[in-house]
Amino acid sequence: MSFSEFPVSPEIHRSIKDRGHHTPTPVQAGAIPVALSGRDVVATAETGSGKTAAFLIPTIDRLHRKNTRHLAALVIMPTRELAAQAAREFDLIARHTRIRCATVVGGEAERRQIDEIRKGAQVLVACPGRLIDFIERGIVKLDKIEVVIIDEADRLLDMGFLPQLRRIMRMVPKNRQTMMFSATMASGPEMIAREFLTTPERITVGGKSAPPSQIRQSIYPVTLENKGPVLLEILKRPEVESAIVFTRTKSRADRVAKMLQRAHVNAVQIHGDRSQSQRNAALAGFRARKFRVMVATDVAARGLDIPDVSHVINFDLPDETDGYIHRIGRTARMGKAGEAISLVTQDERVNLARLERTLGNVLDREHVEGFEKIEIHAPKPVTVFRSSGARNRSTRNRPRSRWA
Ligand code: AMP
């Protein structure tokens, strides 16, 4: 299939061509025709699948054809970074039309955002908090909205935005088109779909949540004190062109970044305790290859579209397999090859066992020359005695089936 088969305006075809995109990604091939027909869409798709263009192309085309002048489309995003990315993508797709977008996110000066709205944006890309603030102050009115896009629905729920989402959805007209995108279709996103969408067409890309097959995954069993030195050794490899290093906490991200900087590695950190301008600068610098390494917490894991990351390194394993899949999904974007490396200590064996069980395979064990070689054993399932007796009431014999 080629983009030329979509019945969109010549101006949209031109911008797609400008970008050098020829073949729609699976989510685009599935969602664009349905969205163009005006129907509601629910798509299970992750960042990196091309989903932003999947909802922006039909939305911009619709407003462009109708020569819309008022605020007519709303994109709801969980984080500022995602909103900024969608706005960038918007500018590229809408460049040959008169359709404009305004971004409404917290943590940044209001002035520019208000100016963008007042200049007459037809599309609003917004995070729930600041949007509600602007609505309450009469800066934004949603009464003429025709299209609503709920992006990263699972993440919106994780971040506790359901009450805000409900408030916003009560303010948009009933007669509208609604599209929802989510990396997973667990009960939460399913509930949102039922609450806000009308007989949507369902589009699922890639089946169950699993890492792309072109990512090479490996585990480096290490002692806690060797995590830093082993990371430095790995980063010396010439094939590590650019890497995101994930840590469990913000303070660890700071410490790892400082350790790398002391070793003259071009590294920057991004996490929730840094100001918005620091985060923007870190991301822009990493994208422009000013920094070779970005040390991040999970705040940065979801949704960031950073092209050409050759390596994702888990300095700490995440607690959940979903988190692992999201993290390593930052490499191997758009079908490219990529490598995911995890440094795992004996203390992290429970998470490792759970991860390997969910992935359905044992990941390759690797070792850096010159460092102590350790083996990590999965915890053994604990046998629980069902017979009565004081011995079995001891807390040490409690069922620990979640480890099994
Ligand atoms: P997204 O899933 O929307 O975050 O998109 C991920 C990246 O894929 C973005 O950098 C897009 O520019 C790129 N992209 C989107 N659609 C295509 C396509 N059809 N062909 C190649 N790259 C694309």
Side-chain angles (χ1 to χ4, degrees), residues 374-399:
I374 63 166
E375 276 190 37
I376 296 200
H377 299 287
K380 290 224 164 45
V382 175
T383 315
V384 183
F385 293 97
R386 291 257 168 250
S387 60
S388 62
R391 185 170 55 100
N392 299 325
R393 282 199 293 272
S394 129
T395 51
R396 293 169 70 196
N397 280 334
R398 276 211 184 125

Side-chain angles (χ1 to χ4, degrees), residues 3 16 19-25 27-28 45-55 57 82 85 89 92 151-152 303-307 333-334:
F3 273 113
I16 296 172
R19 300 185 70 186
H21 293 170
H22 304 289
T23 315
T25 63
V27 68
Q28 291 165 353
E46 302 209 24
T47 305
S49 61
K51 69 184 165 68
T52 316
F55 61 74
I57 289 175
L82 282 168
Q85 261 166 228
E89 183 107 18
L92 294 171
D151 195 16
E152 306 253 344
L304 290 187
D305 172 31
I306 301 149
R333 313 297 298 274
M334 304 306 301

Side-chain angles (χ1 to χ4, degrees), residues 6-28:
F6 290 136
V8 294
S9 329
E11 290 77 14
I12 307 281
H13 277 305
R14 232 173 103 199
S15 64
I16 296 172
K17 219 169 171 180
D18 290 348
R19 300 185 70 186
H21 293 170
H22 304 289
T23 315
T25 63
V27 68
Q28 291 165 353

